Amino acid sequence: VSVLVTGAAGFVAATLIDRLLARGDRVLGLDNFSRGSRALLGDKPRHPGFTFEEADLSSLESFRSALGAYQGEPIREVWHLAANSDIPAGVADMNVDLRDTFMTTFNTLSIMEERGIKRLYFSSSSAIYGDHGERSLAEDSGPLLPLSNYGAMKLASEAIISAAAEKFLETAALFRFPNVVGAPATHGVILDFVRRLKTDRRVLQVLGNGSQKKAYLHISDLVEAMLFVQSRQIPRVDIVNIGPTDSGVTVRQIAEETVQVAAPGAELAFGTGDRGWVGDVPRFRYSTDKLQKLGWQPKLDSLGAIRRAIHEICKQECLA
Ligand SMILES: NC(=O)c1ccc[n+]([C@@H]2O[C@H](COP(=O)([O-])OP(=O)(O)OC[C@H]3O[C@@H](n4cnc5c(N)ncnc54)[C@H](O)[C@@H]3O)[C@@H](O)[C@H]2O)c1
C-alpha cells in the first residue's frame, strides 16, 4: 500500500482512486458505506493495486483494526475524504458532523501519528467561510463563520490538521472545494432535481426562490487540480481554493438545464427565500487566483460543469 484513501466508496473518491491507480499507486480504501456504496467502487476491487476495508473511521478501534492486516506496510500519504456530505442531515442532528466530519479527521491524524505517515491531503469546503455576499473570498479571507455544522466541523478539522502539522506532519494540503458535480453522484442539487423529475415529470419543485448562486466544478477538474497541487513543492500547511474562475450559476439556471434534458416541458415551481435549507449559503464567490497563479485552470466553467453533470447524472439514474 502506498496511499490510504478514506471515504473511498464515495463520489469524489470514485474518480480520485482511478487516477491514483493509473499513476501506479497501490491504494487502500476505507469506508463504512454510510453515504457511499459498494456499487460506487465500480471495477476497482478487480484492480491488483486496490484493496478495500469496511470501517467506521469515527471509531479509533475500528480504524486501527481495519489497518491491522497492513501493519508492516509503509503508507506514504493519506487522502482524507470521509465526511458527512448531507448538510441538512447535520443541521438536524449535530452529532452527524461531529462524528463523520470531525472525528474521522481526528482519528485519521491519530493513526497517521501512530504509523509515522507524514503527508495529508484533505477535502475541506467553501462552507467554512460562511455568508459574505458578493465578496470574492480568497484563502486568507475572513472572518470564518460557517453557517452549518458541516462547515463548522470542516473548519475544526482544518484547525486540528494545522496543529498536527506543527507536531508531526510534513505536508498538509487543505483543499477547499466548491460544489463538485458529475457522476457517480451521491448527493447534490442535480441528483436531487433528476430524482424529483423521475417521480413527477410535470413539475419540478425547487427549494428556495432559485436565486442562490454558486460556483460549480466538474469532478474531473477537481481531481486534476488536487494532483496538480500535489505535484508542486507545497508549504507545510497549504490552503487552496479549488474552483472555476467564473462567478457561478443560479439554482434557477440549473433547474432549467436539468428540465431540458430530463423532462422537457416540465414546469418549475419555486419556493420562497434565498436559501434552499438552513445552513445553505445563498451566494458564494470564490477567488481561485492562487491556483491560477500556480498555473492551473479548469477545463469547464460552472455552466459547462453543470451541463456535463446533468447528462452524466441522467444516465446514472436511467433518465437519458
Ligand atoms: N461533493 C462536493 O460538492 C463537496 C464539496 C465540498 C467538500 N466535499 C468533501 O469532499 C469529500 C468527499 O465528498 P463526496 O462528495 O465524495 O461525498 P460522499 O458522501 O460521496 O463521500 C464521502 C464518503 O465518506 C464515507 N463516510 C462518512 N462517514 C464515515 C465514517 N464515519 N467512516 C467511514 N466512512 C465514512 C461515506 O460513506 C462516503 O462514501 C468529503 O469530505 C466532502 O465533505 C465535497
Side-chain angles (χ1 to χ4, degrees), residues 103-121:
M103 285 312 297
T104 57
T105 307
F106 187 90
N107 289 338
T108 296
L109 291 168
S110 302
I111 294 281
M112 291 179 75
E113 187 175 18
E114 271 173 31
R115 299 190 55 128
I117 309 168
K118 295 186 177 350
R119 307 178 80 83
L120 176 63
Y121 301 90

Side-chain angles (χ1 to χ4, degrees), residues 128-255:
I128 59 114
Y129 290 106
D131 184 4
H132 295 263
E134 294 290 341
R135 197 176 134 213
S136 172
L137 298 165
E139 286 80 354
D140 57 1
S141 296
L144 301 174
L145 296 170
L147 300 187
S148 59
N149 294 319
Y150 167 79
M153 292 299 101
K154 282 287 183 193
L155 183 55
S157 294
E158 288 195 359
I160 197 149
I161 291 170
S162 162
E166 195 60 28
K167 190 173 174 198
F168 70 94
L169 292 175
E170 263 166 24
T171 293
L174 308 177
F175 296 119
R176 291 180 180 162
F177 297 0
N179 290 286
V180 188
V181 294
T186 54
H187 57 96
V189 60
I190 302 173
L191 183 64
D192 185 39
F193 285 169
V194 168
R195 289 194 170 155
R196 281 167 192 253
L197 287 165
K198 245 172 122 173
T199 49
D200 183 350
R201 294 185 61 80
R202 290 161 309 149
V203 182
L204 174 62
Q205 194 70 48
V206 180
L207 297 176
N209 62 14
S211 68
Q212 310 101 295
K213 189 175 183 197
K214 294 172 198 173
Y216 293 83
L217 191 69
H218 192 264
I219 180 66
S220 53
D221 275 327
L222 175 85
V223 169
E224 286 307 318
M226 292 195 292
L227 295 175
F228 172 84
V229 171
Q230 188 189 37
S231 73
R232 307 277 130 165
Q233 195 66 33
I234 55 179
R236 185 140 60 139
V237 180
D238 202 15
I239 303 177
V240 185
N241 284 350
I242 303 182
T245 52
D246 55 271
S247 60
V249 295
T250 62
V251 168
R252 174 183 287 274
Q253 273 175 293
I254 299 172

Side-chain angles (χ1 to χ4, degrees), residues 7 9-13 31-36 55-58 81-85 100 104 123-125 150 154 177-180 186-187:
F11 160 58
V12 171
D31 204 293
N32 68 349
F33 299 124
S34 58
R35 310 248 161 225
D56 177 358
L57 308 179
S58 69
L81 305 179
N84 163 46
S85 53
D100 291 335
T104 57
S123 52
S124 189
S125 166
Y150 167 79
K154 282 287 183 193
F177 297 0
N179 290 286
V180 188
T186 54
H187 57 96

